[in-house]
Amino acid sequence: MEQYEPESLSAAQLAAMGRSLTNGRGALTRRSLLRASGVGALTVGGLATLSACGIPAAKKENGTGPSNADHSAREKEVDFSNWTQYMDISDDKKHHPTLDEFTRRTGIQVKYTEDINDNVEFFGKIKPQLAAGQDTGRDLVVLTDWLAARLIRLGWAQQLDPAHLPHAYANLAPQFRSPDWDPGRAYSYPWTGIPTVIAYNSKATGGKKVDSITQLLDDPTLKGRVGFLSEMRDSVGMTLLDLGKDPAKFTDADFDAAIGRLQKGVDSKQIRRFTGNDYTGDLVKGDLAACVAWGGDVTQLRADNPDIKYAIPAAGYMTSSDNLLVPAKARHQGNAEKLIDYYYELPVAAKLAAFINYQCPVDGVRDELAKIDPALAANELILPDKAMAAKSHSFRSLSEAEETAYEQKFSRLIGA
């Protein structure tokens, strides 16, 4: 059997996870605050366990993960694991309307479980079975892009059958079609997108618009009232864009230039601090006049405070994603593919977007969403138009060595 080098988490990666534990993306809750795409929270003991043991990859054959007999035809069921508050729910909290409609239409019973609290914890939960070539008991999971990439790389995700995904193939928004970690979406389809933008308190800025990283770092009227995020891919990615570099193709030298640019902001006291989701309170109070922010937070804050504005920099903005995958050895891949495709039907996608308010990855859904709520259909953080989508960028996949080196440099920058 072919052998693969084990993967483990470096000290720098663990430090990044520790930041998420206290106030980073993994500490956020769905809908009320953006649950973002970082490594997520995990107990210290769990982190130690995850880092102490290598992760052997499953054998890959012809570019696909280990296959298993599909029992979908005989067993009309699908086991779906998701994050909390990431699915539409009835007023009495007893039903998920879109899932109920899927069952009525197909006869497939959905065992829906909200058992993903953060990426790392969930990875630790399913890793033993995947490493042993066993069924995890789940046919469909939702994972953030960096972890989805890891499962695919390890051979722990099933390659999807395009013949079962006509709506998904046709309606997937162009900006999500071909991430470098899953070219052509052979193994995954996005559940939601997560944009990173600039937010500002117009009262605190004296009515001045703040719309670039250069302005955040150089405008003397903002000195000491600027925030950046403690998530490397967001803050460094936005800075790379401002420097004219592509976050999908940058070099070590480009990364160092972005770190140096941010370091000047730290040394000059232009940057007040690097934050997790706790920037929201400071932004509302005006202690932070402007900051790098997550789109879900902005949507929520703007609903309650007209002084909170946002801007999409001319240089572009960062977008990450949460993604649907079928784990290796899943018993009901065919049924899972039907469920993936169902959520790419326009009326269904609109119902989901209307409830969770994240960026919808389904193209052409605007008219359907407008029937539910015209304001949501007009919200470009949920449905970016083509001009905005063209400014979206993703942080490229990192090797283990790169991730360790980059996290170390970023940790020194933010004083973590």
Side-chain angles (χ1 to χ4, degrees):
M1 181 174 178
E2 184 178 355
Q3 297 296 315
Y4 290 82
E5 290 297 319
E7 292 192 1
S8 59
L9 296 173
S10 68
Q13 290 170 298
L14 293 176
M17 292 174 190
R19 293 197 295 275
S20 285
L21 174 64
T22 55
N23 68 351
R25 293 177 174 187
L28 311 183
T29 58
R30 297 248 175 226
R31 300 206 70 209
S32 61
L33 289 172
L34 177 65
R35 200 282 313 160
S37 64
V39 291
L42 191 65
T43 63
V44 174
L47 286 173
T49 300
L50 187 55
S51 64
C53 59
I55 304 169
K59 184 178 180 181
K60 293 186 179 181
E61 297 177 359
N62 299 323
T64 67
S67 62
N68 195 41
D70 190 2
H71 301 269
S72 293
R74 288 183 291 107
E75 300 175 3
K76 304 293 284 185
E77 61 186 84
V78 60
D79 291 272
F80 182 10
S81 284
N82 204 348
W83 300 75
T84 60
Q85 298 183 47
Y86 223 15
M87 178 67 73
D88 58 304
I89 193 167
S90 60
D91 291 339
D92 62 8
K93 309 298 183 185
K94 294 182 179 179
H95 303 281
H96 298 290
T98 57
L99 289 178
D100 291 347
E101 175 58 29
F102 174 78
T103 297
R104 284 193 292 269
R105 186 193 302 183
T106 65
I108 298 170
Q109 297 293 324
V110 182
K111 180 183 177 183
Y112 183 71
T113 309
E114 294 180 339
D115 61 342
I116 306 179
N117 296 309
D118 66 81
N119 286 289
V120 174
E121 181 183 54
F122 186 72
F123 183 54
K125 187 184 300 184
I126 64 176
K127 177 174 67 70
Q129 295 101 314
L130 291 171
Q134 299 171 352
D135 178 18
T136 66
R138 298 166 179 86
D139 302 305
L140 192 62
V141 297
V142 177
L143 301 177
T144 301
D145 42 23
W146 69 269
L147 183 54
R150 176 170 286 192
L151 261 66
I152 293 169
R153 184 171 68 246
L154 291 169
W156 291 351
Q158 289 289 96
Q159 187 164 350
L160 303 174
D161 185 346
H164 295 163
L165 298 161
H167 295 96
Y169 181 81
N171 295 334
L172 177 60
Q175 76 177 97
F176 295 104
R177 280 196 173 271
S178 195
D180 66 348
W181 49 270
D182 187 15
R185 291 290 181 179
Y187 294 87
S188 69
Y189 271 87
W191 181 249
T192 54
I194 304 168
T196 300
V197 299
I198 292 175
Y200 62 98
N201 185 322
S202 61
K203 186 175 181 180
T205 65
K208 179 188 293 186
K209 183 178 182 179
V210 181
D211 60 3
S212 72
I213 297 300
T214 293
Q215 192 174 356
L216 286 179
L217 291 173
D218 294 340
D219 187 336
T221 68
L222 301 177
K223 186 172 183 179
R225 299 187 296 153
V226 169
F228 277 77
L229 293 169
S230 60
E231 299 290 346
M232 178 190 71
R233 287 168 175 82
D234 296 312
S235 288
V236 172
M238 293 289 278
T239 306
L240 283 167
L241 287 170
D242 195 67
L243 292 172
K245 304 298 182 180
D246 185 349
K249 300 177 181 178
F250 68 89
T251 64
D252 287 347
D254 295 333
F255 182 89
D256 289 344
I259 291 291
R261 182 87 170 95
L262 290 167
Q263 186 66 58
K264 289 181 180 179
V266 172
D267 295 342
S268 68
K269 309 297 185 183
Q270 179 79 6
I271 297 175
R272 184 184 184 95
R273 63 193 184 102
F274 290 83
T275 74
N277 70 289
D278 52 329
Y279 68 82
T280 56
D282 286 348
L283 185 62
V284 170
K285 290 185 295 183
D287 291 342
L288 286 177
C291 61
V292 177
W294 291 310
D297 287 345
V298 173
T299 295
Q300 295 293 328
L301 292 175
R302 282 170 54 83
D304 299 322
N305 190 330
D307 293 329
I308 303 303
K309 313 290 185 182
Y310 75 94
I312 306 299
Y317 67 103
M318 301 300 296
T319 302
S320 54
S321 60
D322 283 341
N323 306 274
L324 295 155
L325 292 93
V326 177
K329 296 293 183 178
R331 287 180 62 86
H332 311 110
Q333 177 171 342
N335 292 341
E337 290 169 338
K338 288 181 180 178
L339 188 56
I340 294 173
D341 197 60
Y342 169 75
Y343 277 101
Y344 274 79
E345 295 181 15
L346 301 186
V348 180
K351 292 175 184 176
L352 182 66
F355 184 83
I356 64 175
N357 293 178
Y358 282 66
Q359 182 180 345
C360 181
V362 182
D363 199 23
V365 77
R366 191 178 305 276
D367 289 345
E368 292 292 337
L369 185 55
K371 296 176 185 177
I372 301 171
D373 188 334
L376 293 179
N379 186 339
E380 64 180 357
L381 295 176
I382 297 174
L383 291 180
D385 59 21
K386 290 183 178 180
M388 178 174 168
K391 295 182 178 180
S392 171
H393 297 265
S394 298
F395 204 90
R396 70 170 172 82
S397 297
L398 302 178
S399 68
E400 291 296 306
E402 285 177 326
E403 187 165 5
T404 295
Y406 293 168
E407 286 288 3
Q408 286 176 341
K409 292 176 180 179
F410 188 69
S411 293
R412 287 195 295 269
L413 167 73
I414 68 176

